[in-house]
């Protein structure tokens, strides 16, 4: 099958890499395995050897037909034609005859990889974990530690523990993309990593804090909140943080302190 640029298709064809991904997917007999972007079925075949129930999701109708033909003799495999961003996880499970708990494995298209991860992390019915292939830079950002954090880092780690498992060279794909990839494991948390009264408002504050990430926190947050630097200084002081820090240096716990201080400062008028 010729890869379609409009769908960001790059086939992972390196057998050794495919085996490593399948090996990293340590699901149990109780898990339904949801594969995102089954493509030509090379990873699907390896997952099907161990999965008691595998739902292979693919949006490309031509590929869906080929996959259904290829796995027609495997009753444990169900190929579902669907847009992964348009159909909720619980509906995909129902369509594929799956059940809870479930896990997610897949080689994600670069241009919607972040959106796919976010959709599962914030879904009404969330997976136990995800093992996904992403653009290497994105995977590293999701798993970054304080000092290299970004809004993407905070958003991801609010809902999951993130760990880069290994890097994949562009040459492992056909056609080869312009950048390397990496396999990321995300162990989904039962509840957000930090306790706040509103996850949406907390993330809005964090996003405001990264408005000008190369600037000091005092200035970046002031730009994002559209308040004066002295007002921002008061919020940061209330939180007990150093205004000379840059946003990337803050931990999730620091952002929680900043959020609580912001709420207290605005409530006080």
């Amino acid at each position: 099958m010729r890869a379609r640029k409009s769908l960001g298709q790059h086939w992972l064809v390196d057998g050794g890499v495919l085996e490593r991904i399948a090996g990293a997917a340590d699901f149990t007999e109780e898990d339904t395995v949801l594969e995102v972007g089954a493509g030509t079925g090379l990873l699907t075949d390896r997952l099907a050897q161990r999965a008691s129930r595998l739902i292979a999701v693919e949006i490309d109708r031509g590929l869906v037909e080929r996959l259904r033909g290829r796995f027609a003799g495997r009753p444990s495999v169900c190929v579902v034609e669907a847009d992964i961003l348009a159909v909720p996880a619980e509906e995909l499970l129902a369509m594929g005859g799956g059940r809870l708990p479930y896990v997610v494995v897949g080689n994600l298209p670069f241009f919607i990889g972040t959106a796919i991860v976010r959709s599962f992390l914030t879904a009404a019915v969330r997976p136990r974990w995800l093992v996904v292939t992403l653009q290497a830079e994105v995977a590293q950002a999701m798993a970054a530690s304080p000092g290299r954090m970004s809004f993407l880092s905070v958003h991801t780690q609010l809902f999951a523990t993130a760990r880069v498992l290994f890097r994949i060279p562009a040459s492992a794909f056909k056609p080869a993309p312009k950048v390397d990839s990496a396999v990321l494991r995300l162990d989904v948390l039962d509840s957000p990593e930090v306790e706040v009264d509103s996850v949406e408002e907390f993330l809005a504050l964090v996003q405001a804090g990264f408005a000008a990430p190369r600037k000091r926190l005092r200035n970046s947050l002031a730009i994002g909140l559209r308040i004066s630097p002295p007002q921002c200084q008061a919020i940061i002081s209330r939180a007990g943080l150093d205004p000379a820090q840059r946003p990337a240096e803050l931990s999730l716990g620091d952002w929680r302190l900043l959020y609580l201080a912001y709420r207290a400062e605005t409530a006080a008028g």
Side-chain angles (χ1 to χ4, degrees), residues 84-85 108-122 134 142 152:
I84 198 69
L85 291 176
L108 308 185
F110 286 173
F111 71 103
I112 56 170
T114 298
I116 292 172
V117 169
R118 284 181 175 175
S119 70
F120 279 111
L121 294 184
T122 58
L134 296 158
M142 288 185 175
L152 179 58

Side-chain angles (χ1 to χ4, degrees), residues 22-139:
D26 56 346
F27 48 81
T28 68
E29 290 186 0
E30 288 73 33
D31 290 316
T32 295
V33 181
L34 190 64
E35 184 190 6
V36 179
T40 58
L42 294 179
L43 180 59
T44 313
D45 186 57
R46 288 163 170 80
L47 297 173
Q49 294 174 23
R50 294 190 294 114
S52 58
R53 190 60 179 169
L54 171 61
I55 302 173
V57 182
E58 177 56 54
I59 193 173
D60 187 317
R61 180 160 296 179
L63 289 173
V64 168
E65 293 174 358
R66 290 168 64 97
L67 288 165
R68 285 175 176 165
R70 178 172 182 170
F71 295 100
R74 302 265 192 108
S76 62
V77 179
C78 180
V79 180
V80 173
E81 181 183 348
D83 179 347
I84 198 69
L85 291 176
V87 183
E90 58 269 27
E91 291 186 26
L92 292 171
L93 292 174
M95 292 164 66
R99 63 183 182 183
L100 297 176
Y102 78 101
V103 297
V104 174
V105 185
N107 300 315
L108 308 185
F110 286 173
F111 71 103
I112 56 170
T114 298
I116 292 172
V117 169
R118 284 181 175 175
S119 70
F120 279 111
L121 294 184
T122 58
V125 179
R126 295 176 296 159
R128 287 201 305 119
W129 50 255
L130 301 91
V131 171
V132 291
T133 303
L134 296 158
Q135 183 176 342
E137 184 179 353
V138 173

Side-chain angles (χ1 to χ4, degrees), residues 145-147 149 154 193-194 196 202 205-206 217 221 235-236 238-242 245-262:
S145 302
M149 298 282 278
V154 176
E193 176 66 15
V194 295
V196 290
F202 171 76
L205 176 78
V206 175
L217 179 62
L221 187 60
I235 295 170
I236 296 170
R238 184 187 282 261
L241 300 177
D242 182 358
Q245 286 183 293
R246 287 186 168 82
E249 298 175 310
L250 271 61
S251 67
L252 266 72
D254 292 334
W255 284 111
R256 177 180 179 272
L257 292 173
L258 195 61
Y259 171 75
L260 295 176
Y262 172 69

